[in-house]
Amino acid sequence: MRSLPVGGAAAPAGPAGTVLVAGPDLAGARREVDELAALFPGATVLAPPRSTVPAVIAALSGADLAHLGCHGLLRVDNPTFSALRLCGGDLTLHALDQLGAAPRRVVLAACDSANGFVYDGNEVLGFVSALMARGSTAVAANSAPVGDPESVPLTTGVHRALRDGAAMAEAVHTGRAVLDREDPRQFVSWCVTTAFGGG
C-alpha cells in the first residue's frame, strides 16, 4: 500500500505503469487515449484492434494508472457477468476479479461503471468494489450512461490533474470544471462521474 506524501497530495502519475485502453466502436474513446498518450509519453496504449481481453488483462496487472474508455454492460440478472466491451469479447467483472494486482488508480470511462449490486450480508458487487478489493486505491467511474464524445474533455482533465499529483477526488473536480453545464449531454457527465477511494 502506498502512503500519501505530507500534505495529503497523491503521488503524481507518471508514464511508467500507465495503461490507456480504448474499446471498439467509440470514436471518442479512441480520441481520448490518443490525447492521454500525449500526457503520458511511454504509456501502454491499447486501442482497436489491439485492445483485446488478454492484452488488457496482461497490461492492467500491477499498473500504476489505468484508463478504460469502453462500453459498460450491466447484467442485473448476473452481475458477475457485467462487462467492459473490448475487441473480440468482453472483460467481465468475474475476469476482473481474478486479476492479480489491480492498477493503483483507475479511470473507468464507461457507462454505469460506478454501479454496484447489493447481495446478502450487504456485500456490494461491481467494478469499483472489485478493483478496490484487488488493491486499487482510487477509482473514477460513471453511475449512468454518458455520451462518448462529451466525456473526452472531462477524462482528459481528470488525467491531467492526476499527472500533476492530484488525488482522484480532486482530479474529478478539476475535470468537471471544463464541462459546459448548459449543454445537457455534458451536464450528464458532470453529474454522474464520481471518485471512490483516497488515492
Side-chain angles (χ1 to χ4, degrees), residues 30-100:
R30 180 58 190 256
R31 191 175 97 229
E32 200 168 60
V33 297
D34 289 344
E35 289 182 21
L36 295 177
L39 288 176
F40 300 103
T44 299
V45 178
L46 296 170
R50 295 180 51 232
S51 53
T52 63
V53 173
V56 170
I57 288 175
L60 289 179
S61 187
D64 183 62
L65 174 65
H67 171 88
L68 292 115
C70 38
H71 287 296
L73 310 165
L74 281 181
R75 288 278 307 268
V76 177
D77 63 322
N78 194 342
T80 59
F81 290 100
S82 293
L84 300 172
R85 173 72 34 92
L86 296 174
C87 291
D90 296 335
L91 175 58
T92 64
L93 184 55
H94 175 72
L96 193 61
D97 195 41
Q98 303 304 308
L99 187 65

Short mmCIF file of all heavy atoms in Angstrom, two decimals, residues 30-100:
data_model
loop_
_atom_site.label_atom_id
_atom_site.label_comp_id
_atom_site.label_asym_id
_atom_site.label_seq_id
_atom_site.Cartn_x
_atom_site.Cartn_y
_atom_site.Cartn_z
N ARG A 30 -11.30 6.50 -28.63
CA ARG A 30 -10.04 6.44 -29.39
C ARG A 30 -9.34 7.80 -29.34
O ARG A 30 -8.13 7.90 -29.11
CB ARG A 30 -10.33 6.01 -30.84
CG ARG A 30 -9.09 5.93 -31.71
CD ARG A 30 -8.10 4.94 -31.11
NE ARG A 30 -6.82 4.97 -31.76
CZ ARG A 30 -6.39 4.06 -32.60
NH1 ARG A 30 -7.15 3.03 -32.92
NH2 ARG A 30 -5.20 4.15 -33.13
N ARG A 31 -10.11 8.87 -29.55
CA ARG A 31 -9.54 10.21 -29.47
C ARG A 31 -9.00 10.48 -28.06
O ARG A 31 -7.94 11.08 -27.89
CB ARG A 31 -10.60 11.25 -29.85
CG ARG A 31 -10.02 12.63 -30.05
CD ARG A 31 -11.05 13.62 -30.55
NE ARG A 31 -11.56 14.37 -29.40
CZ ARG A 31 -12.82 14.58 -29.12
NH1 ARG A 31 -13.76 14.08 -29.89
NH2 ARG A 31 -13.17 15.27 -28.07
N GLU A 32 -9.74 10.00 -27.08
CA GLU A 32 -9.36 10.16 -25.68
C GLU A 32 -7.98 9.55 -25.40
O GLU A 32 -7.10 10.21 -24.84
CB GLU A 32 -10.43 9.45 -24.84
CG GLU A 32 -10.57 9.81 -23.41
CD GLU A 32 -11.87 9.20 -22.90
OE1 GLU A 32 -12.03 7.96 -22.95
OE2 GLU A 32 -12.71 9.98 -22.45
N VAL A 33 -7.78 8.29 -25.78
CA VAL A 33 -6.48 7.65 -25.50
C VAL A 33 -5.35 8.29 -26.31
O VAL A 33 -4.23 8.35 -25.82
CB VAL A 33 -6.49 6.11 -25.66
CG1 VAL A 33 -7.45 5.46 -24.68
CG2 VAL A 33 -6.74 5.68 -27.06
N ASP A 34 -5.65 8.79 -27.49
CA ASP A 34 -4.62 9.50 -28.25
C ASP A 34 -4.19 10.77 -27.51
O ASP A 34 -3.00 11.07 -27.41
CB ASP A 34 -5.12 9.85 -29.65
CG ASP A 34 -5.25 8.63 -30.55
OD1 ASP A 34 -4.68 7.57 -30.22
OD2 ASP A 34 -5.94 8.73 -31.59
N GLU A 35 -5.16 11.51 -26.97
CA GLU A 35 -4.84 12.72 -26.20
C GLU A 35 -4.12 12.37 -24.91
O GLU A 35 -3.17 13.06 -24.51
CB GLU A 35 -6.12 13.52 -25.90
CG GLU A 35 -6.72 14.18 -27.12
CD GLU A 35 -7.96 15.01 -26.81
OE1 GLU A 35 -8.15 15.41 -25.64
OE2 GLU A 35 -8.74 15.26 -27.75
N LEU A 36 -4.55 11.31 -24.24
CA LEU A 36 -3.91 10.90 -22.99
C LEU A 36 -2.49 10.40 -23.22
O LEU A 36 -1.61 10.60 -22.38
CB LEU A 36 -4.75 9.84 -22.29
CG LEU A 36 -6.13 10.30 -21.82
CD1 LEU A 36 -6.89 9.15 -21.20
CD2 LEU A 36 -6.04 11.49 -20.88
N ALA A 37 -2.24 9.76 -24.36
CA ALA A 37 -0.89 9.29 -24.67
C ALA A 37 0.08 10.46 -24.76
O ALA A 37 1.27 10.32 -24.42
CB ALA A 37 -0.90 8.49 -25.98
N ALA A 38 -0.40 11.62 -25.18
CA ALA A 38 0.46 12.81 -25.21
C ALA A 38 0.77 13.29 -23.79
O ALA A 38 1.85 13.84 -23.55
CB ALA A 38 -0.21 13.92 -26.01
N LEU A 39 -0.16 13.07 -22.84
CA LEU A 39 0.08 13.45 -21.45
C LEU A 39 1.04 12.49 -20.75
O LEU A 39 1.74 12.86 -19.82
CB LEU A 39 -1.23 13.46 -20.66
CG LEU A 39 -2.23 14.58 -20.93
CD1 LEU A 39 -3.50 14.36 -20.11
CD2 LEU A 39 -1.62 15.93 -20.60
N PHE A 40 1.01 11.23 -21.18
CA PHE A 40 1.80 10.17 -20.55
C PHE A 40 2.68 9.48 -21.59
O PHE A 40 2.41 8.35 -22.00
CB PHE A 40 0.88 9.14 -19.88
CG PHE A 40 0.01 9.71 -18.80
CD1 PHE A 40 -1.34 9.96 -19.04
CD2 PHE A 40 0.53 10.00 -17.54
CE1 PHE A 40 -2.15 10.49 -18.05
CE2 PHE A 40 -0.28 10.52 -16.55
CZ PHE A 40 -1.63 10.77 -16.80
N PRO A 41 3.75 10.14 -22.06
CA PRO A 41 4.64 9.50 -23.03
C PRO A 41 5.19 8.19 -22.46
O PRO A 41 5.53 8.11 -21.28
CB PRO A 41 5.77 10.52 -23.22
CG PRO A 41 5.23 11.82 -22.71
CD PRO A 41 4.22 11.46 -21.66
N GLY A 42 5.22 7.18 -23.27
CA GLY A 42 5.70 5.88 -22.82
C GLY A 42 4.62 4.99 -22.23
O GLY A 42 4.90 3.86 -21.84
N ALA A 43 3.39 5.48 -22.15
CA ALA A 43 2.30 4.67 -21.63
C ALA A 43 2.01 3.51 -22.57
O ALA A 43 2.26 3.59 -23.78
CB ALA A 43 1.04 5.52 -21.46
N THR A 44 1.46 2.43 -22.03
CA THR A 44 0.98 1.32 -22.85
C THR A 44 -0.37 1.73 -23.40
O THR A 44 -1.30 2.01 -22.63
CB THR A 44 0.83 0.04 -22.00
OG1 THR A 44 2.12 -0.31 -21.48
CG2 THR A 44 0.28 -1.10 -22.83
N VAL A 45 -0.50 1.80 -24.72
CA VAL A 45 -1.74 2.21 -25.37
C VAL A 45 -2.33 1.00 -26.09
O VAL A 45 -1.67 0.41 -26.95
CB VAL A 45 -1.52 3.37 -26.35
CG1 VAL A 45 -2.83 3.74 -27.05
CG2 VAL A 45 -0.93 4.58 -25.63
N LEU A 46 -3.55 0.63 -25.73
CA LEU A 46 -4.25 -0.47 -26.38
C LEU A 46 -5.55 0.06 -26.97
O LEU A 46 -6.49 0.37 -26.24
CB LEU A 46 -4.54 -1.59 -25.37
CG LEU A 46 -3.30 -2.27 -24.77
CD1 LEU A 46 -3.69 -3.17 -23.62
CD2 LEU A 46 -2.56 -3.04 -25.84
N ALA A 47 -5.56 0.21 -28.28
CA ALA A 47 -6.74 0.70 -29.00
C ALA A 47 -7.08 -0.36 -30.05
O ALA A 47 -6.23 -1.18 -30.40
CB ALA A 47 -6.43 2.03 -29.65
N PRO A 48 -8.33 -0.33 -30.54
CA PRO A 48 -8.71 -1.33 -31.54
C PRO A 48 -7.73 -1.35 -32.72
O PRO A 48 -7.27 -0.30 -33.14
CB PRO A 48 -10.10 -0.84 -31.99
CG PRO A 48 -10.62 -0.10 -30.81
CD PRO A 48 -9.41 0.57 -30.20
N PRO A 49 -7.37 -2.53 -33.16
CA PRO A 49 -7.84 -3.87 -32.80
C PRO A 49 -7.02 -4.54 -31.69
O PRO A 49 -7.26 -5.68 -31.35
CB PRO A 49 -7.68 -4.64 -34.10
CG PRO A 49 -6.45 -4.04 -34.73
CD PRO A 49 -6.50 -2.57 -34.37
N ARG A 50 -6.06 -3.82 -31.08
CA ARG A 50 -5.16 -4.42 -30.08
C ARG A 50 -5.77 -4.51 -28.69
O ARG A 50 -5.21 -5.18 -27.82
CB ARG A 50 -3.86 -3.63 -30.03
CG ARG A 50 -3.07 -3.69 -31.33
CD ARG A 50 -1.76 -2.90 -31.26
NE ARG A 50 -0.98 -3.26 -30.10
CZ ARG A 50 -0.49 -2.36 -29.22
NH1 ARG A 50 -0.73 -1.09 -29.38
NH2 ARG A 50 0.22 -2.77 -28.19
N SER A 51 -6.88 -3.85 -28.44
CA SER A 51 -7.46 -3.83 -27.09
C SER A 51 -8.34 -5.06 -26.86
O SER A 51 -9.54 -4.96 -26.67
CB SER A 51 -8.25 -2.54 -26.86
OG SER A 51 -9.20 -2.33 -27.89
N THR A 52 -7.70 -6.21 -26.84
CA THR A 52 -8.39 -7.48 -26.60
C THR A 52 -8.38 -7.79 -25.11
O THR A 52 -7.59 -7.22 -24.34
CB THR A 52 -7.69 -8.62 -27.35
OG1 THR A 52 -6.37 -8.76 -26.81
CG2 THR A 52 -7.63 -8.36 -28.85
N VAL A 53 -9.23 -8.70 -24.69
CA VAL A 53 -9.31 -9.06 -23.28
C VAL A 53 -7.95 -9.55 -22.75
O VAL A 53 -7.47 -9.04 -21.73
CB VAL A 53 -10.43 -10.09 -23.01
CG1 VAL A 53 -10.39 -10.59 -21.58
CG2 VAL A 53 -11.80 -9.48 -23.32
N PRO A 54 -7.28 -10.53 -23.41
CA PRO A 54 -5.98 -10.97 -22.88
C PRO A 54 -4.94 -9.85 -22.79
O PRO A 54 -4.20 -9.76 -21.82
CB PRO A 54 -5.54 -12.06 -23.86
CG PRO A 54 -6.79 -12.52 -24.52
CD PRO A 54 -7.68 -11.32 -24.58
N ALA A 55 -4.89 -8.99 -23.81
CA ALA A 55 -3.90 -7.91 -23.82
C ALA A 55 -4.18 -6.91 -22.70
O ALA A 55 -3.26 -6.44 -22.01
CB ALA A 55 -3.90 -7.20 -25.17
N VAL A 56 -5.44 -6.59 -22.49
CA VAL A 56 -5.81 -5.63 -21.45
C VAL A 56 -5.54 -6.21 -20.06
O VAL A 56 -4.97 -5.54 -19.19
CB VAL A 56 -7.27 -5.17 -21.60
CG1 VAL A 56 -7.74 -4.36 -20.40
CG2 VAL A 56 -7.43 -4.34 -22.89
N ILE A 57 -5.92 -7.45 -19.83
CA ILE A 57 -5.67 -8.08 -18.52
C ILE A 57 -4.17 -8.10 -18.22
O ILE A 57 -3.74 -7.77 -17.11
CB ILE A 57 -6.27 -9.49 -18.45
CG1 ILE A 57 -7.80 -9.40 -18.35
CG2 ILE A 57 -5.71 -10.27 -17.27
CD1 ILE A 57 -8.51 -10.73 -18.40
N ALA A 58 -3.37 -8.46 -19.21
CA ALA A 58 -1.92 -8.51 -19.01
C ALA A 58 -1.36 -7.12 -18.68
O ALA A 58 -0.50 -6.98 -17.81
CB ALA A 58 -1.23 -9.07 -20.25
N ALA A 59 -1.85 -6.10 -19.34
CA ALA A 59 -1.36 -4.74 -19.12
C ALA A 59 -1.81 -4.16 -17.78
O ALA A 59 -1.06 -3.43 -17.13
CB ALA A 59 -1.81 -3.83 -20.27
N LEU A 60 -3.03 -4.48 -17.36
CA LEU A 60 -3.57 -3.90 -16.13
C LEU A 60 -2.90 -4.42 -14.87
O LEU A 60 -2.79 -3.68 -13.89
CB LEU A 60 -5.07 -4.19 -16.03
CG LEU A 60 -6.00 -3.48 -16.98
CD1 LEU A 60 -7.44 -3.91 -16.72
CD2 LEU A 60 -5.86 -1.97 -16.85
N SER A 61 -2.50 -5.64 -14.86
CA SER A 61 -1.99 -6.26 -13.64
C SER A 61 -0.80 -5.50 -13.08
O SER A 61 0.27 -5.46 -13.67
CB SER A 61 -1.60 -7.71 -13.91
OG SER A 61 -1.26 -8.35 -12.69
N GLY A 62 -1.01 -4.85 -11.96
CA GLY A 62 0.06 -4.12 -11.29
C GLY A 62 0.38 -2.75 -11.85
O GLY A 62 1.35 -2.12 -11.40
N ALA A 63 -0.40 -2.24 -12.79
CA ALA A 63 -0.13 -0.91 -13.34
C ALA A 63 -0.34 0.16 -12.27
O ALA A 63 -1.07 -0.04 -11.31
CB ALA A 63 -1.05 -0.64 -14.54
N ASP A 64 0.28 1.31 -12.47
CA ASP A 64 0.11 2.42 -11.54
C ASP A 64 -1.20 3.17 -11.83
O ASP A 64 -1.93 3.52 -10.91
CB ASP A 64 1.30 3.38 -11.65
CG ASP A 64 1.18 4.51 -10.65
OD1 ASP A 64 1.17 4.23 -9.43
OD2 ASP A 64 1.09 5.68 -11.07
N LEU A 65 -1.47 3.42 -13.10
CA LEU A 65 -2.65 4.18 -13.52
C LEU A 65 -3.24 3.53 -14.75
O LEU A 65 -2.50 3.19 -15.68
CB LEU A 65 -2.27 5.64 -13.83
CG LEU A 65 -3.36 6.54 -14.41
CD1 LEU A 65 -4.50 6.75 -13.41
CD2 LEU A 65 -2.77 7.88 -14.84
N ALA A 66 -4.56 3.34 -14.76
CA ALA A 66 -5.22 2.76 -15.94
C ALA A 66 -6.42 3.60 -16.32
O ALA A 66 -7.13 4.13 -15.47
CB ALA A 66 -5.65 1.33 -15.65
N HIS A 67 -6.62 3.70 -17.62
CA HIS A 67 -7.79 4.37 -18.18
C HIS A 67 -8.47 3.36 -19.11
O HIS A 67 -7.82 2.81 -20.00
CB HIS A 67 -7.39 5.60 -18.99
CG HIS A 67 -8.52 6.19 -19.75
ND1 HIS A 67 -9.36 7.13 -19.20
CD2 HIS A 67 -8.97 5.95 -21.00
CE1 HIS A 67 -10.28 7.45 -20.11
NE2 HIS A 67 -10.06 6.74 -21.20
N LEU A 68 -9.76 3.12 -18.88
CA LEU A 68 -10.52 2.22 -19.75
C LEU A 68 -11.71 2.98 -20.32
O LEU A 68 -12.68 3.27 -19.60
CB LEU A 68 -10.99 0.99 -18.97
CG LEU A 68 -9.85 0.07 -18.55
CD1 LEU A 68 -9.75 0.05 -17.05
CD2 LEU A 68 -10.06 -1.31 -19.09
N GLY A 69 -11.63 3.33 -21.59
CA GLY A 69 -12.72 4.01 -22.28
C GLY A 69 -13.43 3.01 -23.17
O GLY A 69 -12.93 2.68 -24.25
N CYS A 70 -14.54 2.49 -22.71
CA CYS A 70 -15.24 1.44 -23.46
C CYS A 70 -16.71 1.39 -23.04
O CYS A 70 -17.12 2.05 -22.09
CB CYS A 70 -14.57 0.08 -23.27
SG CYS A 70 -13.97 -0.25 -21.62
N HIS A 71 -17.48 0.60 -23.77
CA HIS A 71 -18.88 0.41 -23.40
C HIS A 71 -18.96 -0.38 -22.11
O HIS A 71 -18.24 -1.36 -21.92
CB HIS A 71 -19.63 -0.37 -24.49
CG HIS A 71 -19.91 0.41 -25.73
ND1 HIS A 71 -20.72 1.52 -25.74
CD2 HIS A 71 -19.48 0.24 -27.00
CE1 HIS A 71 -20.80 2.00 -26.97
NE2 HIS A 71 -20.03 1.25 -27.76
N GLY A 72 -19.82 0.06 -21.21
CA GLY A 72 -20.09 -0.70 -19.99
C GLY A 72 -21.41 -1.44 -20.15
O GLY A 72 -22.40 -0.87 -20.62
N LEU A 73 -21.42 -2.70 -19.80
CA LEU A 73 -22.61 -3.55 -19.96
C LEU A 73 -23.01 -4.11 -18.60
O LEU A 73 -22.27 -4.90 -18.01
CB LEU A 73 -22.32 -4.69 -20.93
CG LEU A 73 -21.69 -4.29 -22.26
CD1 LEU A 73 -21.12 -5.48 -22.98
CD2 LEU A 73 -22.70 -3.57 -23.11
N LEU A 74 -24.15 -3.69 -18.09
CA LEU A 74 -24.62 -4.17 -16.78
C LEU A 74 -25.49 -5.40 -16.93
O LEU A 74 -26.36 -5.44 -17.80
CB LEU A 74 -25.44 -3.09 -16.08
CG LEU A 74 -24.67 -1.98 -15.40
CD1 LEU A 74 -25.65 -1.03 -14.73
CD2 LEU A 74 -23.69 -2.52 -14.39
N ARG A 75 -25.28 -6.37 -16.07
CA ARG A 75 -26.11 -7.57 -16.03
C ARG A 75 -26.76 -7.65 -14.65
O ARG A 75 -26.17 -8.15 -13.70
CB ARG A 75 -25.25 -8.82 -16.26
CG ARG A 75 -24.74 -9.03 -17.66
CD ARG A 75 -25.76 -9.67 -18.58
NE ARG A 75 -26.31 -10.90 -18.05
CZ ARG A 75 -25.83 -12.12 -18.29
NH1 ARG A 75 -24.77 -12.27 -19.06
NH2 ARG A 75 -26.42 -13.18 -17.78
N VAL A 76 -27.96 -7.13 -14.55
CA VAL A 76 -28.68 -7.15 -13.29
C VAL A 76 -29.01 -8.58 -12.89
O VAL A 76 -28.97 -8.93 -11.71
CB VAL A 76 -29.97 -6.29 -13.39
CG1 VAL A 76 -30.77 -6.35 -12.10
CG2 VAL A 76 -29.62 -4.86 -13.73
N ASP A 77 -29.26 -9.44 -13.88
CA ASP A 77 -29.60 -10.83 -13.59
C ASP A 77 -28.41 -11.63 -13.08
O ASP A 77 -28.57 -12.60 -12.33
CB ASP A 77 -30.17 -11.52 -14.84
CG ASP A 77 -29.16 -11.59 -15.98
OD1 ASP A 77 -28.39 -10.62 -16.16
OD2 ASP A 77 -29.14 -12.62 -16.69
N ASN A 78 -27.19 -11.25 -13.46
CA ASN A 78 -25.99 -11.94 -13.02
C ASN A 78 -24.83 -10.95 -13.06
O ASN A 78 -24.06 -10.91 -14.02
CB ASN A 78 -25.70 -13.15 -13.91
CG ASN A 78 -24.67 -14.07 -13.30
OD1 ASN A 78 -23.93 -13.69 -12.40
ND2 ASN A 78 -24.61 -15.29 -13.81
N PRO A 79 -24.69 -10.14 -12.00
CA PRO A 79 -23.71 -9.04 -12.02
C PRO A 79 -22.27 -9.46 -12.27
O PRO A 79 -21.49 -8.67 -12.77
CB PRO A 79 -23.85 -8.43 -10.62
CG PRO A 79 -25.21 -8.79 -10.18
CD PRO A 79 -25.49 -10.14 -10.78
N THR A 80 -21.90 -10.70 -11.95
CA THR A 80 -20.51 -11.10 -12.20
C THR A 80 -20.20 -11.15 -13.69
O THR A 80 -19.03 -11.20 -14.07
CB THR A 80 -20.18 -12.48 -11.57
OG1 THR A 80 -21.05 -13.46 -12.11
CG2 THR A 80 -20.29 -12.44 -10.07
N PHE A 81 -21.23 -11.12 -14.53
CA PHE A 81 -21.02 -11.07 -15.98
C PHE A 81 -21.29 -9.69 -16.56
O PHE A 81 -21.36 -9.54 -17.78
CB PHE A 81 -21.82 -12.18 -16.67
CG PHE A 81 -21.26 -13.53 -16.36
CD1 PHE A 81 -21.84 -14.34 -15.40
CD2 PHE A 81 -20.09 -13.97 -16.97
CE1 PHE A 81 -21.29 -15.57 -15.08
CE2 PHE A 81 -19.53 -15.19 -16.65
CZ PHE A 81 -20.14 -16.00 -15.70
N SER A 82 -21.41 -8.68 -15.69
CA SER A 82 -21.34 -7.30 -16.17
C SER A 82 -19.96 -7.16 -16.80
O SER A 82 -19.01 -7.84 -16.39
CB SER A 82 -21.51 -6.32 -15.02
OG SER A 82 -22.81 -6.39 -14.49
N ALA A 83 -19.84 -6.29 -17.80
CA ALA A 83 -18.59 -6.31 -18.56
C ALA A 83 -18.24 -4.95 -19.13
O ALA A 83 -19.07 -4.06 -19.24
CB ALA A 83 -18.70 -7.32 -19.70
N LEU A 84 -16.97 -4.84 -19.51
CA LEU A 84 -16.47 -3.74 -20.31
C LEU A 84 -16.20 -4.31 -21.69
O LEU A 84 -15.50 -5.32 -21.83
CB LEU A 84 -15.19 -3.18 -19.70
CG LEU A 84 -15.33 -2.64 -18.27
CD1 LEU A 84 -13.96 -2.29 -17.71
CD2 LEU A 84 -16.26 -1.45 -18.24
N ARG A 85 -16.78 -3.71 -22.72
CA ARG A 85 -16.65 -4.22 -24.09
C ARG A 85 -15.27 -3.91 -24.65
O ARG A 85 -14.86 -2.77 -24.71
CB ARG A 85 -17.75 -3.59 -24.95
CG ARG A 85 -17.72 -3.86 -26.43
CD ARG A 85 -18.09 -5.25 -26.90
NE ARG A 85 -19.07 -6.00 -26.19
CZ ARG A 85 -20.38 -6.02 -26.44
NH1 ARG A 85 -20.89 -5.29 -27.40
NH2 ARG A 85 -21.20 -6.79 -25.73
N LEU A 86 -14.56 -4.96 -25.04
CA LEU A 86 -13.25 -4.82 -25.67
C LEU A 86 -13.29 -5.46 -27.05
O LEU A 86 -14.32 -5.99 -27.46
CB LEU A 86 -12.18 -5.48 -24.79
CG LEU A 86 -11.98 -4.83 -23.42
CD1 LEU A 86 -11.01 -5.64 -22.57
CD2 LEU A 86 -11.50 -3.39 -23.55
N CYS A 87 -12.19 -5.45 -27.76
CA CYS A 87 -12.14 -6.06 -29.09
C CYS A 87 -12.19 -7.57 -28.98
O CYS A 87 -11.41 -8.17 -28.24
CB CYS A 87 -10.87 -5.63 -29.81
SG CYS A 87 -10.87 -3.89 -30.24
N GLY A 88 -13.11 -8.17 -29.68
CA GLY A 88 -13.20 -9.62 -29.70
C GLY A 88 -13.84 -10.24 -28.48
O GLY A 88 -13.88 -11.46 -28.36
N GLY A 89 -14.36 -9.44 -27.56
CA GLY A 89 -15.00 -10.02 -26.38
C GLY A 89 -15.15 -9.01 -25.26
O GLY A 89 -14.81 -7.83 -25.40
N ASP A 90 -15.66 -9.48 -24.14
CA ASP A 90 -15.95 -8.62 -23.00
C ASP A 90 -15.07 -8.97 -21.82
O ASP A 90 -14.84 -10.15 -21.51
CB ASP A 90 -17.42 -8.77 -22.58
CG ASP A 90 -18.40 -8.31 -23.65
OD1 ASP A 90 -18.00 -7.46 -24.47
OD2 ASP A 90 -19.54 -8.79 -23.64
N LEU A 91 -14.58 -7.93 -21.13
CA LEU A 91 -13.86 -8.11 -19.88
C LEU A 91 -14.91 -8.10 -18.78
O LEU A 91 -15.42 -7.05 -18.40
CB LEU A 91 -12.85 -6.99 -19.68
CG LEU A 91 -12.09 -6.98 -18.36
CD1 LEU A 91 -11.32 -8.28 -18.15
CD2 LEU A 91 -11.16 -5.78 -18.30
N THR A 92 -15.26 -9.29 -18.29
CA THR A 92 -16.33 -9.40 -17.30
C THR A 92 -15.82 -9.03 -15.92
O THR A 92 -14.61 -9.05 -15.64
CB THR A 92 -16.89 -10.84 -17.24
OG1 THR A 92 -15.85 -11.71 -16.80
CG2 THR A 92 -17.43 -11.27 -18.59
N LEU A 93 -16.77 -8.71 -15.06
CA LEU A 93 -16.44 -8.44 -13.67
C LEU A 93 -15.78 -9.66 -13.05
O LEU A 93 -14.83 -9.54 -12.27
CB LEU A 93 -17.72 -8.07 -12.92
CG LEU A 93 -17.60 -7.66 -11.48
CD1 LEU A 93 -16.63 -6.51 -11.31
CD2 LEU A 93 -18.96 -7.28 -10.94
N HIS A 94 -16.22 -10.84 -13.43
CA HIS A 94 -15.62 -12.08 -12.93
C HIS A 94 -14.14 -12.15 -13.32
O HIS A 94 -13.28 -12.45 -12.48
CB HIS A 94 -16.37 -13.30 -13.48
CG HIS A 94 -15.74 -14.60 -13.12
ND1 HIS A 94 -15.77 -15.11 -11.84
CD2 HIS A 94 -15.02 -15.48 -13.85
CE1 HIS A 94 -15.12 -16.26 -11.81
NE2 HIS A 94 -14.66 -16.50 -13.03
N ALA A 95 -13.82 -11.87 -14.57
CA ALA A 95 -12.42 -11.90 -15.03
C ALA A 95 -11.60 -10.81 -14.34
O ALA A 95 -10.46 -11.04 -13.95
CB ALA A 95 -12.35 -11.74 -16.54
N LEU A 96 -12.20 -9.64 -14.16
CA LEU A 96 -11.52 -8.54 -13.49
C LEU A 96 -11.22 -8.91 -12.04
O LEU A 96 -10.16 -8.58 -11.51
CB LEU A 96 -12.38 -7.29 -13.56
CG LEU A 96 -11.75 -5.97 -13.19
CD1 LEU A 96 -10.58 -5.65 -14.12
CD2 LEU A 96 -12.79 -4.87 -13.27
N ASP A 97 -12.14 -9.63 -11.42
CA ASP A 97 -11.95 -10.05 -10.03
C ASP A 97 -10.82 -11.07 -9.90
O ASP A 97 -10.26 -11.24 -8.83
CB ASP A 97 -13.26 -10.61 -9.46
CG ASP A 97 -13.22 -10.72 -7.96
OD1 ASP A 97 -12.70 -9.79 -7.30
OD2 ASP A 97 -13.70 -11.73 -7.43
N GLN A 98 -10.48 -11.75 -11.00
CA GLN A 98 -9.39 -12.73 -10.98
C GLN A 98 -8.02 -12.08 -11.23
O GLN A 98 -7.00 -12.74 -11.12
CB GLN A 98 -9.64 -13.81 -12.05
CG GLN A 98 -10.96 -14.54 -11.92
CD GLN A 98 -11.13 -15.17 -10.55
OE1 GLN A 98 -10.27 -15.90 -10.09
NE2 GLN A 98 -12.24 -14.87 -9.90
N LEU A 99 -8.03 -10.79 -11.56
CA LEU A 99 -6.81 -10.05 -11.82
C LEU A 99 -5.91 -10.11 -10.60
O LEU A 99 -6.37 -9.98 -9.47
CB LEU A 99 -7.17 -8.59 -12.14
CG LEU A 99 -6.09 -7.65 -12.60
CD1 LEU A 99 -5.54 -8.08 -13.96
CD2 LEU A 99 -6.67 -6.24 -12.74
N GLY A 100 -4.63 -10.33 -10.81
CA GLY A 100 -3.69 -10.39 -9.70
C GLY A 100 -3.74 -9.12 -8.88
O GLY A 100 -4.49 -9.00 -7.92
#
